Amino acid sequence: GMFLVSARIVIILISVCLCVTITDSIGEASEPPPLPPHPRTMSAEATAPQETAEQQQPEQVVTPWDVDAGDGGIDYDKLIRDFGSSRISPELIARMEKLTGHRAHPWLRRGVFFSHRELDRILDLYEQGKPFYLYTGRGPSSDSLHLGHLVPFFFTAWLQKVFNCVLVVQLTSDEKFLFSKKGLTLEDTYRLGHENAKDIIACGFDINKTFIFNNMDYIGVLYPTVLKVQCVVTANQLKGIFGLTGSDNSGKYGFPAVQATPSFSAAFPHIFNGRTDVPCLVPCAIDQDPYFRMTRDAADRLGYVKPALIHSTFFPALQGAGSKMSASDSTSAIFVTDTEKQIRTKIKKYCFSGGRDTLEEHKEHGGNPDVDVAYQYLSFFLDDDDKLEDIRKRFSSGELSSAGIKDELVKVIVPIVQKFQRARAAVSDDVVDAFMAQRELSFQ
């Protein structure tokens, strides 16, 4: 997803005393503190009063720096309970459709974007004719983007279109330099930022309403607000959220405020005419929620408007829930540079199947679409709800084989990737420069 923080993972034991100290320091009483206990660090004593069958299941770890679902996949209802966010209800989706005049995006209708913080407040503002803006970003550590990387950008492009609002996109070359485990130089991450900007632009953003910036270029404007955020976020908070220790470089402690700052309109005086009260909506994967709870707490302390959030589920690796997508493993994902032949081969050879061991068993008992990666990918990229439901029924009954559902996926994915590749090829360096120029935008 968006805003991945490549911090070194350190397991932190959170004592009851520390929890009390942190809770006392939080200004946002209506939400859980911005330092949720790490799922692997909750002691038996801490969890004993609430023992349920759920706790007998393998632990899932979902933090800004580590996502580990085990073989069973992510329990998103549990995440909503743990993080204290709200599920996006059918009523909220219906209200969005009524206000915008557009049918909800398939990812809203199908629960890909499933959780939120104060999305209803954003809709209130829109109904009143008051402005808000969108904020998303990319950590440029690789030029090998896969389909999962594009999900937040495709969805953000849709939000920009239906709400007709300004978008700011942060390229965090500084973060990827400071947190790099691969020895990336600052020059490497800056170059990758420029290349990744082309991928972002190819997702279909409005140049008159979009400002893409690299922190390396824009830090002078950001810095006054960054300092204010740094002043109200403690080192203990950063240690708890990102697993930082005394041996980490000092830049890692300074960076989170840089990523928080674009949530505040004060960071963009050339767009918002110096206004500091324009609200922000952040589309992101649910693993980033603890990070933005820190940002929302900082907003309370600074008198800024807290950013609203809309959370997505995770895009699955080809091999299924127990594996992870990686730019270093070309078989783990479909990359936006893949050819039709490569896509077809990956889907046929590596896509985890929810079908039975033999065709005869499959025809008799049917397949499991809940674990079948081809079906999961179709649920992301097949727009036709009726056709998706027909595929689900036929696969579940055994009428549609594992090979057959993979064929259906190839027919859907190849045109999407090829369309993206054509759009990407049309993005010149001059177009990138135009999107990244500090300029007035069409802000209403």
Side-chain angles (χ1 to χ4, degrees):
M2 65 172 293
F3 305 101
L4 294 177
V5 180
S6 302
R8 183 174 52 176
I9 303 169
V10 178
I11 304 301
I12 305 172
L13 293 173
I14 302 179
S15 67
V16 174
C17 180
L18 178 56
C19 287
V20 171
T21 302
I22 293 169
T23 304
D24 288 344
S25 70
I26 299 305
E28 186 174 350
S30 62
E31 295 184 353
L35 303 181
H38 191 295
R40 283 179 177 157
T41 65
M42 294 186 72
S43 66
E45 291 77 12
T47 58
Q50 302 176 4
E51 278 191 17
T52 64
E54 176 184 85
Q55 291 173 337
Q56 303 305 316
Q57 301 301 316
E59 293 174 311
Q60 67 177 11
V61 177
V62 178
T63 71
W65 67 92
D66 185 24
V67 177
D68 186 359
D71 293 333
I74 296 291
D75 182 343
Y76 290 104
D77 288 326
K78 185 175 187 298
L79 281 185
I80 286 177
R81 294 194 300 271
D82 289 347
F83 289 169
S85 61
S86 302
R87 181 169 284 280
I88 296 176
S89 66
E91 293 77 17
L92 195 61
I93 294 174
R95 186 183 178 208
M96 185 183 295
E97 290 182 327
K98 182 179 179 181
L99 289 175
T100 64
H102 291 268
R103 190 183 186 199
H105 194 285
W107 295 344
L108 278 171
R109 303 196 306 267
R110 298 171 188 171
V112 173
F113 281 82
F114 71 105
S115 166
H116 75 100
R117 289 189 186 277
E118 295 193 302
L119 178 59
D120 48 343
R121 174 172 60 88
I122 294 295
L123 296 183
D124 289 343
L125 291 168
Y126 185 76
E127 188 172 26
Q128 296 163 15
K130 296 179 181 178
F132 71 93
Y133 70 102
L134 300 166
Y135 164 39
T136 189
R138 162 72 183 157
S141 59
S142 170
D143 52 10
S144 300
L145 270 64
H146 53 64
L147 289 180
H149 287 133
L150 298 186
V151 166
F153 293 112
F154 282 154
F155 186 70
T156 302
W158 179 82
L159 288 172
Q160 183 184 56
K161 177 183 177 181
V162 300
F163 287 105
N164 192 30
C165 58
V166 162
L167 162 69
V168 296
V169 182
Q170 182 183 54
L171 298 172
T172 58
S173 293
D174 46 350
E175 172 209 7
K176 291 307 178 184
F177 168 65
L178 291 168
F179 287 84
S180 176
K181 297 178 181 179
K182 299 184 292 186
L184 290 172
T185 67
L186 202 52
E187 292 75 20
D188 290 334
T189 60
Y190 188 78
R191 176 188 62 80
L192 290 170
H194 185 83
E195 291 303 307
N196 287 176
K198 295 179 181 178
D199 295 299
I200 294 168
I201 292 167
C203 292
F205 295 106
D206 182 350
I207 193 170
N208 296 310
K209 292 182 176 293
T210 304
F211 175 49
I212 302 175
F213 62 97
N214 194 308
N215 289 336
M216 297 287 293
D217 303 318
Y218 194 62
I219 193 64
V221 183
L222 290 176
Y223 200 52
T225 309
V226 169
L227 287 172
K228 293 176 183 177
V229 175
Q230 288 175 335
C231 195
V232 298
V233 177
T234 68
N236 282 338
Q237 284 178 297
L238 297 176
K239 289 176 181 178
I241 297 169
F242 300 108
L244 300 178
T245 69
S247 62
D248 280 301
N249 70 63
S250 58
K252 292 182 180 182
Y253 284 85
F255 174 76
V258 179
Q259 191 161 318
T261 290
S263 301
F264 308 127
S265 61
F268 305 99
H270 65 283
I271 298 175
F272 302 114
N273 305 313
R275 286 182 58 177
T276 62
D277 61 345
V278 183
C280 175
L281 174 62
V282 182
C284 64
I286 186 96
D287 61 320
Q288 299 302 303
D289 185 76
Y291 175 87
F292 280 99
R293 278 168 52 193
M294 179 205 82
T295 305
R296 286 165 60 84
D297 180 64
D300 261 349
R301 295 166 185 270
L302 294 170
Y304 288 151
V305 181
K306 293 184 289 189
L309 291 99
I310 181 167
H311 304 124
S312 75
T313 58
F314 302 114
F315 192 75
L318 280 172
Q319 287 84 356
S323 60
K324 298 181 181 180
M325 289 182 289
S326 170
S328 60
D329 180 4
S330 63
T331 68
S332 67
I334 295 171
F335 291 85
V336 297
T337 53
D338 284 347
T339 65
E340 178 177 354
K341 182 179 179 180
Q342 288 173 319
I343 293 171
R344 188 180 301 275
T345 298
K346 286 182 178 183
I347 290 174
K348 293 287 189 181
K349 190 173 181 179
Y350 300 108
C351 197
F352 183 82
S353 173
R356 302 289 177 168
D357 292 339
T358 67
L359 185 58
E360 290 74 17
E361 289 180 5
H362 183 81
K363 287 181 177 179
E364 181 179 354
H365 301 290
N368 182 1
D370 293 336
V371 300
D372 188 87
V373 171
Y375 178 78
Q376 291 173 23
Y377 275 37
L378 284 168
S379 71
F380 273 84
F381 292 110
L382 177 58
D383 285 341
D384 190 325
D385 289 341
D386 293 335
K387 186 170 184 180
L388 181 67
E389 177 62 13
D390 177 66
I391 289 172
R392 188 193 68 79
K393 287 181 177 178
R394 290 195 293 126
F395 183 71
S396 299
S397 69
E399 178 186 346
L400 182 64
S401 68
S402 180
I405 198 170
K406 289 180 179 181
D407 285 335
E408 294 287 350
L409 179 60
V410 170
K411 288 188 288 186
V412 170
I413 291 294
V414 168
I416 290 173
V417 173
Q418 290 178 338
K419 180 181 178 181
F420 177 85
Q421 289 171 349
R422 290 192 296 271
R424 174 50 159 90
V427 180
S428 65
D429 289 337
D430 288 342
V431 171
V432 174
D433 291 343
F435 269 90
M436 299 186 74
Q438 292 184 40
R439 65 205 190 281
E440 291 185 5
L441 296 183
S442 181
F443 168 65
Q444 300 172 348

